[in-house]
Amino acid sequence: MLKNIQEWVMVFLIIGAIILIGNWVGYDILPTAAIPGILTLIAICLLGLIIHRLLPFKLPSIAYIGILGFVLTIPGVPGSTYIVQWTNEVTLLAITTPILAYAGISIGGSWADFAKLGWKTIVVGMCVLIGTFMGSAIIAEIVLRFQGII
Amino acid sequence: MAQQLQRLWKDWRLHTLVLAIVLLTEMIGTHEVSIGPGLILLLPMLYAVIIGIALFFTPLVNEKQTKHAEQLVFLSVTLLIAKFGVQAGPALPKLIAAGPALLLQEFGNLGTIFLALPVAILLGLKRETIGMTHSIGREANIALISDKYGFASPEGRGVMAMYIFGTVFGAIFMGLISGFLSSVTPMHPLSFAMATGIGSGSMAAAGLGPLVAAFPDMSEEIIAFSGASNLASTVTGLYMSIFIALPLTEKMYGWFRGKKDKNPTKIPSRNQRRCYKLC
């Protein structure tokens, strides 16, 4: 467990550094301004991963991480204003670019399988994604309008 | 796991490549392409996937890097989820107000059955359809289908095909259509924000990016709603598949095949099919 935490920390520090650089180049936020934010996010991830290991429930670790970040920033929770202020300096798009860069490199490994898929699979696959996406959007739109929120 | 992870952070070639991709793509920046009435946003993350895939065909990347990259996607997605979380806390009052929409839109994930299943049947696919169209076919769904039909079954082949499609093309496709659909339809960005929670971290990231870029004034709310919907999908997704999506897919499949065949035959039950295999 201790060994794992050490490795997680190293991996997060590397990814964090890449995010800080992307955040600087693409979104003009100096790394010095974004360091507290990225460290906070890393801390939340580590805590979530550790809780996931310790608790017996069969929830995925990202559920703990999401809930933790959420609870820590509810207005009124001690320190929440700092966490919000710090993490605001780390742009969402700066986080997504390295994720998808790693994803792209890992996708390469599936390319041979992908090339074997027929055109029918590709058509159906696109319909699956559009269907899921539009299905949720349409229901959300109807309910939000019905409630008068939008 | 610890051994593997150790090699993970020491894979400097991989991290350097990712850093180079990030630098290059962020310098290129965001570009807009209009297609008819709609707008497609080309974001750095989109170039990043494509460059990543392309690198696989160069000597810079070998099998080892792709294996490591797969685990790094998981760990880097956790940072995105943490970001989702910290945007959601301050938006708590709004999330509570939108609670009914957040919960009900989870049922929208069944939209795949209504759109993709008929298309698959029109294209002449058989029971592969069930594996392909009951969900977006991520890891949990492979487990579910293998458990129910066996991995070597037509259903199993279907879910694997969808898994491969989603893995390779999902993020790119979501990144293209989310911006496009939100610009051509009169629907509200918040509805699309909720829709990005489809049960895959990298696809959610790719679908969310264009929304945040296209509606910067609402970005905080958009991220909060997307995060809440992602969390809801993560927690409810598998149960939704087990109890609603898969039975519904079976029903719809039977109904459509019955309509298509001139002499509708009853779909053999699981035991009967097992018997065919044995006979």
Side-chain angles (χ1 to χ4, degrees), chain B residues 95-107:
Chain B
L95 290 175
I96 292 175
L102 267 169
L103 292 177
L104 288 171
Q105 62 82 28
E106 283 298 309
F107 290 94

Side-chain angles (χ1 to χ4, degrees), chain A:
Chain A
M1 179 80 178
L2 215 62
K3 187 102 184 147
N4 256 333
I5 296 175
Q6 228 175 23
E7 309 297 350
W8 284 331
V9 170
M10 290 310 292
V11 170
F12 278 131
L13 288 179
I14 294 168
I15 301 174
I18 297 175
I19 291 175
L20 285 182
I21 293 171
N23 203 38
W24 186 19
V25 176
Y27 310 95
D28 293 330
I29 301 170
L30 283 174
T32 45
I35 282 176
I38 195 78
L39 289 180
T40 309
L41 292 177
I42 290 175
I44 292 172
C45 291
L46 285 172
L47 267 177
L49 288 169
I50 294 168
I51 295 172
H52 170 71
R53 283 287 174 95
L54 295 180
L55 293 184
F57 311 113
K58 273 195 173 167
L59 274 179
S61 50
I62 54 170
Y64 293 112
I65 294 166
I67 293 168
L68 205 60
F70 175 60
V71 171
L72 289 175
T73 51
I74 293 174
V77 171
S80 64
T81 44
Y82 287 107
I83 297 184
V84 172
Q85 197 188 325
W86 290 335
T87 52
N88 265 341
E89 299 294 324
V90 185
T91 324
L92 179 99
L93 290 170
I95 304 177
T96 54
T97 309
I99 294 178
L100 291 186
Y102 282 116
I105 293 174
S106 84
I107 287 168
S110 314
W111 189 263
D113 294 323
F114 181 71
K116 275 184 231 144
L117 295 180
W119 65 271
K120 285 179 183 176
T121 301
I122 302 197
V123 173
V124 174
M126 291 200 259
C127 291
V128 166
L129 293 180
I130 295 177
T132 302
F133 187 62
M134 283 309 285
S136 298
I138 290 168
I139 293 182
E141 178 82 14
I142 293 170
V143 180
L144 286 174
R145 276 203 194 174
F146 188 75
Q147 287 184 284
I149 292 177
I150 53 171

Side-chain angles (χ1 to χ4, degrees), chain B residues 136-169:
Chain B
I136 62 160
R138 301 321 295 160
E139 288 84 352
N141 302 108
I142 298 179
L144 171 63
I145 293 285
S146 310
D147 186 53
K148 196 148 190 211
Y149 304 95
F151 189 67
S153 62
E155 293 86 346
R157 278 200 303 278
V159 75
M160 267 322 281
M162 188 55 214
Y163 178 75
I164 295 164
F165 168 83
T167 305
V168 174
F169 202 53

